């Protein structure tokens, strides 16, 4: 009577992928020793893999960690710095009651188009020449969507910067005089930062504006009327500091 002896597979000759396949399909109950041997060999092989092939550590760090500022290409630094300035301009515009002069708005279209083109050019150039930046942008669906929507986003950000934040900044740095102006108004719809607003109609050299009121004051006013607005006026616009009704 002869007894058949099955040789132990030489797992040392198996690749990582082959060992993973063995562990997924082997019968642990029938071949516990083989299972443990394959498991040990897989652990040993993974420990010897170079860092760039380790998908659980280095790969994740490379693709999902924001690059340090010092690691970015100069073009990327310009692009990211400009983006931060544009975001700051949005915040400034949301919390100021500044009315820009019509002359500025009537002549700003070319500047908005030019600035949008330059910003988008730097943005796409940074992705094409800076590998770390490209990997970070492309790591999820939000970054991929930005690739296609950046011209539109850039136009919105630039419009706010050129037509609102920039003239306000120049107003603060220029000579001003305190004055009181009369505006026709009508009640407007609310927003997150101005829930009860009055829309101020264009007056003289000034464009349309907005005045934020408290709820009780807004409620008792008629839908249309006149308001006397106090503030500082310069060659760039009018900064609202107070108001009164007759």
């Amino acid at each position: 009577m002869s007894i058949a002896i099955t040789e132990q597979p030489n797992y040392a000759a198996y690749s990582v992928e082959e060992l993973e396949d063995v562990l997924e399909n082997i019968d642990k109950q029938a071949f516990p020793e083989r299972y443990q041997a394959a498991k040990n060999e897989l652990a040993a092989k993974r420990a010897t893999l170079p860092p760039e092939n380790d998908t659980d550590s280095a790969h994740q760090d490379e693709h999902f960690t924001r690059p340090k500022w010092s690691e970015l290409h100069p073009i990327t630094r310009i692009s990211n710095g400009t983006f931060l300035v544009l975001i700051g301009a949005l915040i400034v515009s949301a919390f100021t009651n500044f009315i820009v002069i019509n002359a500025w708005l009537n002549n700003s279209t070319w500047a908005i188009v030019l600035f949008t083109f330059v910003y988008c050019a730097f943005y796409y150039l940074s992705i094409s020449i800076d590998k770390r930046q490209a990997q970070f942008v492309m790591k999820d669906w939000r970054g991929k969507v930005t690739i296609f929507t950046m011209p539109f986003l850039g136009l919105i950000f630039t419009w706010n910067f050129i037509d609102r934040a920039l003239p306000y900044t120049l107003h603060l740095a220029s000579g001003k005089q305190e004055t009181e102006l009369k505006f026709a108004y009508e009640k407007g719809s609310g927003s997150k930062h101005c829930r009860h607003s009055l829309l101020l109609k264009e007056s003289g050299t000034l464009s349309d504006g907005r005045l934020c009121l408290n709820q009780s004051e807004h409620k008792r006013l008629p839908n249309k009327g006149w308001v006397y607005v106090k503030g500082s006026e310069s060659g760039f616009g009018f900064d609202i500091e107070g108001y009164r009704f007759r």
Side-chain angles (χ1 to χ4, degrees), residues 134-151:
Q135 291 172 340
F136 179 76
V137 171
M138 298 297 291
K139 70 183 177 67
D140 57 24
W141 67 268
R142 290 173 295 182
K144 295 175 181 178
V145 169
T146 304
I147 297 293
F148 299 99
T149 59
M150 183 50 69

Side-chain angles (χ1 to χ4, degrees), residues 44-102:
K45 286 184 178 292
R46 281 178 171 171
T48 61
L49 289 176
E52 59 269 20
N53 292 331
D54 187 348
T55 57
D56 293 329
S57 57
H59 183 273
Q60 182 174 357
D61 292 339
E62 181 181 2
H63 291 279
F64 295 93
T65 301
R66 180 183 293 274
K68 296 180 180 178
W69 184 262
S70 60
E71 298 173 342
L72 297 175
H73 191 280
I75 295 296
T76 306
R77 297 182 192 180
I78 294 175
S79 174
N80 291 354
T82 303
F83 178 76
L84 293 177
V85 171
L86 295 177
I87 292 298
L90 284 175
I91 297 174
V92 170
S93 300
F95 292 97
T96 56
N97 288 325
F98 184 71
I99 304 176
V100 184
I101 60 171
N102 280 317

Side-chain angles (χ1 to χ4, degrees), residues 161-185:
F161 175 75
I162 297 293
D163 273 359
R164 301 186 68 181
L166 183 56
Y168 176 69
T169 302
L170 294 174
H171 168 82
L172 295 179
S174 64
K176 302 176 287 294
Q177 63 177 1
E178 297 296 321
T179 185
E180 183 179 70
L181 302 176
K182 183 180 180 182
F183 287 90
Y185 77 81

Side-chain angles (χ1 to χ4, degrees), residues 157-229:
F157 290 162
T158 300
W159 167 79
N160 176 78
F161 175 75
I162 297 293
D163 273 359
R164 301 186 68 181
L166 183 56
Y168 176 69
T169 302
L170 294 174
H171 168 82
L172 295 179
S174 64
K176 302 176 287 294
Q177 63 177 1
E178 297 296 321
T179 185
E180 183 179 70
L181 302 176
K182 183 180 180 182
F183 287 90
Y185 77 81
E186 66 178 31
K187 289 185 176 179
S189 57
S191 64
K192 183 177 181 181
H193 302 291
C194 186
R195 297 186 180 279
H196 310 286
S197 66
L198 295 182
L199 300 181
L200 305 181
K201 298 297 184 178
E202 180 179 328
S203 176
T205 61
L206 298 174
S207 62
D208 295 342
R210 182 188 66 173
L211 185 63
C212 296
L213 308 179
N214 58 54
Q215 182 177 5
S216 59
E217 192 170 39
H218 185 271
K219 187 176 181 179
R220 66 179 176 81
L221 289 174
N223 290 331
K224 295 183 179 181
W226 294 89
V227 57
Y228 293 85
V229 182

